[in-house]
């Protein structure tokens, strides 16, 4: 019974079907299956499969995104069950992410958020045009492990540096890793401003974030 | 070349009117909202602005069919007069050096040098401030690009990428140093796809319109990411973004000259970033030209466009195809002189190469004549009766002079032996040498000292106000 259910869960992620994923998660809750088992044996193998196929060039970003959405739907159903049992979903780390102040470009940042969330991170997406201190305050509030800062414009990219300086000013630089991204951002820019990580795309960002958490 | 048949153009137009009147645009700036609703727009349940077809038609009827800008050298460039014009890429971050094949961050000096070279290239009709100089604070970058372009070209200079009303005001003040801003420059603003008009951009658009600056509506959707993956769907959405921009600026300033721009590119399905080199870009640009011409507006789209990082074969074939398709479709102006690396980089050699490539595209557009003079039956008779070749015919000399054969400067046309004797140089090395020569020899008349100091004053005021 469980085997069949787990297979269906895996497939719901691969097919990118949030409704079905939520329905299957609900069924597992009703059957009293441990949510840790549900995640690890049902849904996560789906995410892993999609990731592998993407790496092989057999699947593409849109398929990754819908798989991420399906995973999110499943986790949303399982969250209360974790709370009820007094256990916690194993997360790889907490990430505060947003597009920097003055910049309202959203898609790259949202992709990274979706990919991180699907890969087991707890993601706090602060949206676009995020003031520097909002990054800092949110990171303090949720005890973030990583701050992710996106910028599409060369003119706003320069403010990524201000977030790092603000972390230093607030004595938080030692506890929080910083990753930067966006079209004009390069490895050398990341290095120049003292960021801990940089990736050219959303899938690479997950690898970087995992490395930062020692989970790669 | 017709990229779209008349019924296809109408289908896209109808889809666009539905997007505007049934889905609407995100636009919350209060003053603009009031203007739009007073003119017949309504607010949807999702708080988007719905623009009815009559309002779109009204706005289009206000737009003149041409748009002109004048350089400080006195030349006026008119878009929409049936000829093809070119400008360079604007906003590149890096400079590529063909000799070392390395890139470096662009500086103010590169902005100046680019303008000087573009001034010398006969096929570059208008100059857009080229690089985003990284030795300038982010808040001043756009303004500094314009300021440092002006002294190094006498051609019309387009506005830089401007994000706010305050920046627009400083930009207009600098244009005033050259003359009437509505005559000496134009400004393009990009709504954020899909269908989003953030307040600061709306304020910049309204400020530009109030100043009478010719306006380029310049959406940059990525099909599959910020627009539908299908080219026609993405063109319809882009068209809606252009038309919504036009409605707004015509409400502010009826009769404002408008340039219909489009920067539609496809998504790279593995990373989500825009593909600049794929042939779909050329197709989308041709479709964009057809839509703009349906409204009798001059159209500006991507021309030279590649993802290649160096001056290689990929670079050559991608930029040639992507410029040729919209050129054949009748584009009024193509962008991209100097573009490399999906718009992130450029090299001075690339600018020089593109000047030559543009000449080839003009030659293509000119086609060939079939009148009696060109058919040359009498000339064939004359040759057959005498030398039995055409070298000595006056007809040959006449038509050589009138340009039947495009004479190239950089493309290699010698034999293997000649090429070896000249040191086996590549197109890139010849282009770099030509760029170096232009930097050393091309003289641009300077601005008046009073103009220089006026520009400095404006920049220093902008620095005081905008830099934190």
């Amino acid at each position: 019974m469980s085997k069949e259910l787990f297979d269906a869960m895996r497939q719901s992620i691969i097919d990118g079907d949030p409704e079905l994923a939520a329905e299957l998660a609900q069924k597992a809750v009703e059957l009293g299956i441990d949510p840790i088992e549900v995640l690890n044996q049902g849904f996560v193998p789906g995410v892993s499969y999609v990731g592998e196929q993407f790496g092989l060039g057999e699947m593409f970003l849109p398929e990754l995104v819908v798989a991420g959405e399906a995973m999110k739907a499943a986790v949303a159903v399982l969250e209360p069950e974790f709370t009820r049992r007094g256990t916690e979903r194993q997360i790889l780390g907490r990430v505060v992410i947003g597009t920097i102040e003055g910049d309202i470009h959203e898609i790259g940042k949202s992709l990274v958020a979706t990919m991180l969330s699907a890969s087991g991170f707890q993601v706090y997406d602060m949206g676009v045009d995020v003031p520097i201190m909002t990054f800092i305050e949110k990171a303090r509030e949720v005890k973030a492990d990583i701050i992710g800062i996106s910028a599409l414009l060369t003119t706003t990219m320069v403010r990524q540096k201000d977030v790092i300086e603000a972390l230093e000013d607030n004595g938080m630089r030692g506890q929080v890793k910083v990753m930067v991204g966006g079209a004009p951002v390069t490895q050398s820019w990341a290095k120049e401003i003292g960021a801990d990580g940089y990736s050219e795309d959303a899938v690479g960002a997950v690898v970087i974030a995992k490395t930062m958490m020692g989970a790669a | 070349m017709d990229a779209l048949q008349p019924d296809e153009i109408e289908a896209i137009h109808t889809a666009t009117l539905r997007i505007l009147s049934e889905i609407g645009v995100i636009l919350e700036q209060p003053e603009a909202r009031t203007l739009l609703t007073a003119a017949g727009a309504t607010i949807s349940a999702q708080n988007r602005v719905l623009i009815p077809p009559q309002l779109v038609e009204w706005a289009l009827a206000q737009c003149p069919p041409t748009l002109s800008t004048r350089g400080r050298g006195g030349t006026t460039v008119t878009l929409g007069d049936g000829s093809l014009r070119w400008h360079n890429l604007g906003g590149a971050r890096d400079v590529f050096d063909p000799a070392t094949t390395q890139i470096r961050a662009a500086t103010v000096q590169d902005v100046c040098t680019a303008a000087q070279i573009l001034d010398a290239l006969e096929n570059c009709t208008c100059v857009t401030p080229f690089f985003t100089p990284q030795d300038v604070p982010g808040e001043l970058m756009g303004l500094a690009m314009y300021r440092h372009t002006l002294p190094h070209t006498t051609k019309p200079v387009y506005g830089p990428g401007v994000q706010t009303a305050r920046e627009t005001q400083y930009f207009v003040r600098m244009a005033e140093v050259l003359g009437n801003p509505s005559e000496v420059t134009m400004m393009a603003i990009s709504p954020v796809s899909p269908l989003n008009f953030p307040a600061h951009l709306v304020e910049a658009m309204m400020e530009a319109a109030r100043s009478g600056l010719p306006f380029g509506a310049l959406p940059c959707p990525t099909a599959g990411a910020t627009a539908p993956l299908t080219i026609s769907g993405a063109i319809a959405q882009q068209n809606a973004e252009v038309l919504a921009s036009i409605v707004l600026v015509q409400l502010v300033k009826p009769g404002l000259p408008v340039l219909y721009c489009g920067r539609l590119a496809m998504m790279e399905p593995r990373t989500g970033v825009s593909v600049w080199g794929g042939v779909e870009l050329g197709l989308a640009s041709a479709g964009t030209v057809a839509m703009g011409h349906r409204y009798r507006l001059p159209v500006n789209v991507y021309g030279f466009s590649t993802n290649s990082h160096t001056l290689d074969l990929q670079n050559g074939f991608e930029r040639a195809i992507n410029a040729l398709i919209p050129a054949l479709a009748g584009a009024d102006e193509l962008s991209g002189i100097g573009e490399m690396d999906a718009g992130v980089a450029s090299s001075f050699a690339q600018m020089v190469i593109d000047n030559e490539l543009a000449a080839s595209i003009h030659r293509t557009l000119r086609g060939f004549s079939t009148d009696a003079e060109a058919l040359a039956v009498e000339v064939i008779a004359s040759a057959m009766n005498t030398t039995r070749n055409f070298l000595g015919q006056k007809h040959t000399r006449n038509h050589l002079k009138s340009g039947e054969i495009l004479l190239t400067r950089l493309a290699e046309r010698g034999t293997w032996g000649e090429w070896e004797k000249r040191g086996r140089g590549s197109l890139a090395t010849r282009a770099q040498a030509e760029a170096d020569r232009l930097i050393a020899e091309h003289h641009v008349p300077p601005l008046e000292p009073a103009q220089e100091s006026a520009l400095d004053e404006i920049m220093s005021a902008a620095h005081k106000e905008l830099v934190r």
Side-chain angles (χ1 to χ4, degrees):
Chain A
M1 175 64 207
S2 286
K3 169 82 172 75
E4 261 170 45
L5 186 59
F6 289 155
D7 282 349
M9 287 171 171
R10 176 178 175 276
Q11 198 58 42
S12 73
I13 299 292
I14 296 168
D15 295 341
D17 189 337
E19 288 83 19
L20 183 59
E23 202 179 292
L24 294 169
Q26 187 56 44
K27 201 166 169 187
V29 170
E30 281 159 17
L31 289 171
I33 309 174
D34 185 342
I36 295 176
E37 209 178 310
V38 172
L39 272 182
N40 292 344
Q41 293 185 47
F43 293 112
V44 169
V47 172
S48 306
Y49 177 82
V50 172
E52 278 162 27
Q53 291 301 302
F54 181 85
L56 294 170
E58 298 289 330
M59 282 182 135
F60 297 98
L61 200 55
E63 290 154 318
L64 243 66
V65 168
V66 289
E69 294 300 330
M71 186 66 181
K72 214 160 144 186
V75 168
V77 172
L78 295 175
E79 272 312 348
E81 186 60 10
F82 277 110
T83 315
R84 199 184 62 79
R85 288 174 178 243
T87 54
E88 267 188 10
R89 176 165 74 96
Q90 197 193 349
I91 57 163
L92 292 178
R94 292 182 172 76
V95 185
V96 170
I97 192 168
T99 304
I100 193 74
E101 190 172 355
D103 201 326
I104 31 79
H105 293 89
E106 187 160 25
I107 184 162
K109 177 270 303 167
S110 299
L111 270 178
V112 175
T114 302
M115 290 300 114
L116 286 173
S117 158
S119 309
F121 286 86
Q122 180 74 45
V123 178
Y124 302 88
D125 187 341
M126 309 306 291
V128 299
D129 194 10
V130 180
I132 286 145
M133 283 316 292
T134 306
F135 279 104
I136 306 297
E137 281 152 19
K138 189 70 186 180
R140 182 180 288 149
E141 177 200 326
V142 303
K143 298 190 172 60
D145 302 293
I146 299 172
I147 291 180
I149 322 160
S150 173
L152 183 83
L153 305 171
T154 317
T155 51
T156 55
M157 173 183 86
V158 291
R159 293 187 192 151
Q160 292 178 331
K161 190 179 178 180
D162 300 347
V163 177
I164 296 177
E165 284 173 3
L167 278 175
E168 279 162 7
D169 295 346
N170 285 272
M172 293 162 67
R173 188 67 185 95
Q175 298 98 61
V176 186
K177 303 271 190 206
V178 176
M179 52 198 278
V180 292
V185 178
T186 59
Q187 184 68 62
S188 68
W189 168 250
K191 200 174 156 196
E192 185 187 325
I193 64 172
D196 303 292
Y198 151 77
S199 163
E200 298 204 334
D201 55 55
V203 174
V206 173
V207 176
I208 299 286
K210 282 185 174 172
T211 311
M212 284 175 173
M213 302 312 297
Chain B
M1 187 191 93
D2 293 323
L4 293 167
Q5 298 306 308
D7 58 326
E8 296 176 311
I9 294 173
E10 286 318 294
I12 292 175
H13 173 66
T14 306
T16 303
L17 293 181
R18 282 195 57 203
I19 294 167
L20 288 171
S21 63
E22 295 173 23
I23 302 169
V25 300
I26 303 172
L27 192 158
E28 289 172 9
Q29 206 278 344
E31 199 190 339
R33 263 205 176 199
T34 308
L35 262 180
L36 285 158
T37 49
T42 53
I43 306 300
S44 77
Q46 297 81 14
N47 198 28
R48 289 191 293 259
V49 177
L50 303 175
I51 305 175
Q54 316 83 277
L55 182 53
V56 174
E57 298 297 345
W58 171 85
L60 286 168
Q62 309 307 307
C63 301
T66 61
L67 179 152
S68 299
T69 43
R70 189 183 70 241
R72 67 180 169 94
T75 315
T76 295
V77 174
T78 299
L79 303 178
D81 67 358
S83 43
L84 171 63
R85 319 289 183 163
W86 301 83
H87 68 85
N88 57 284
L89 170 75
R93 183 192 66 200
D94 294 329
V95 183
F96 171 79
D97 179 356
T100 60
T101 67
Q102 296 298 314
I103 51 168
R104 60 176 174 78
T107 62
V108 166
Q109 182 54 52
D110 298 310
V111 175
C112 303
T113 306
Q116 182 201 8
I117 290 178
L118 295 167
D119 189 74
L121 302 178
E122 68 275 14
N123 290 314
C124 181
T125 32
C126 295
V127 176
T128 300
F130 208 120
F131 292 102
T132 48
Q134 265 128 91
D135 48 351
V136 168
E139 297 90 339
L140 280 187
M141 223 178 250
L143 295 173
M145 289 164 72
Y146 184 67
R147 192 262 172 266
H148 294 290
T149 298
L150 291 180
H152 302 284
T153 179
T154 62
K155 293 179 180 178
V157 179
Y158 288 166
V162 160
Q163 297 286 319
T164 65
R166 279 309 284 151
E167 257 186 297
T168 306
Q169 286 164 358
Y170 280 113
F171 161 56
V172 170
R173 278 176 62 190
M174 284 198 277
E176 274 167 359
V177 172
L178 295 191
N180 183 341
S182 67
E183 294 169 6
V184 299
T185 191
M186 65 92 66
M187 187 169 125
I189 290 183
S190 306
V192 179
S193 301
L195 301 164
N196 187 3
F197 291 75
H200 64 99
L201 289 180
V202 167
E203 285 157 11
M205 283 166 69
M206 293 171 74
E207 183 60 33
R210 273 193 291 267
S211 305
L213 289 183
F215 176 76
L218 184 78
C220 313
T222 303
T226 58
L229 184 73
T230 43
I231 295 175
S232 61
I235 289 176
Q237 183 193 303
Q238 172 181 261
N239 192 35
E241 290 163 349
V242 171
L243 296 186
S245 306
I246 290 176
V247 167
L248 180 61
V249 297
Q250 293 302 338
L251 283 172
V252 174
K253 185 104 173 175
L256 188 76
V258 165
L259 184 58
Y260 187 111
C261 307
R263 296 289 184 270
L264 173 58
M266 309 303 283
M267 168 183 73
E268 208 302 307
R270 290 175 192 82
T271 59
V273 303
S274 284
V275 182
W276 286 48
V279 66
E280 297 87 359
L281 182 132
L283 281 176
S285 295
T288 302
V289 170
M291 292 316 296
H293 283 176
R294 183 202 178 282
Y295 308 121
R296 288 179 292 282
L297 293 171
V299 182
N300 168 307
V301 287
Y302 278 130
F304 297 128
S305 188
T306 182
N307 281 90
S308 172
H309 310 290
T310 64
L311 302 174
D312 62 357
L313 265 173
Q314 180 189 340
N315 176 322
F317 86 73
E318 288 184 346
R319 70 195 314 104
I321 290 176
N322 282 326
L324 191 56
I325 299 173
L328 289 172
D332 299 279
E333 187 172 42
L334 292 178
S335 162
I337 290 179
E339 182 273 349
M340 295 175 65
D341 196 5
V344 173
S346 178
S347 68
F348 301 123
Q350 183 76 66
M351 298 174 199
V352 173
I353 291 169
D354 286 347
N355 185 54
E356 183 151 314
L357 187 42
S360 287
I361 289 172
H362 280 290
R363 177 66 192 90
T364 309
L365 293 180
R366 214 168 71 232
F368 54 88
S369 165
T370 52
D371 62 11
E373 163 70 15
L375 285 170
V377 177
E378 306 308 323
V379 183
I380 296 168
S382 158
M384 290 306 288
N385 292 339
T386 55
T387 58
R388 283 203 271 154
N389 72 56
F390 296 85
L391 288 170
Q393 295 292 330
K394 191 156 192 255
H395 181 270
T396 304
R397 292 199 304 286
N398 285 347
H399 288 274
L400 188 57
K401 263 187 204 141
S402 66
E404 194 77 355
I405 300 173
L406 175 68
L407 298 174
T408 58
R409 279 178 296 192
L410 299 170
E412 175 64 53
R413 288 188 176 172
T415 63
W416 178 279
E418 288 160 347
W419 174 64
E420 274 212 315
K421 217 186 291 171
R422 284 194 300 267
R424 304 173 68 110
S426 68
L427 177 68
T429 45
R430 288 189 294 277
Q432 185 60 52
E434 174 62 5
D436 290 341
R437 186 189 70 78
L438 292 174
I439 294 168
E441 294 176 10
H442 179 69
H443 174 72
V444 181
L447 292 167
E448 302 292 330
Q451 292 177 312
E452 282 286 350
S453 54
L455 291 173
D456 283 340
E457 270 170 41
I458 296 164
M459 283 304 292
S460 111
H463 193 285
K464 229 173 261 167
E465 181 185 338
L466 303 179
V467 179
R468 290 177 304 180

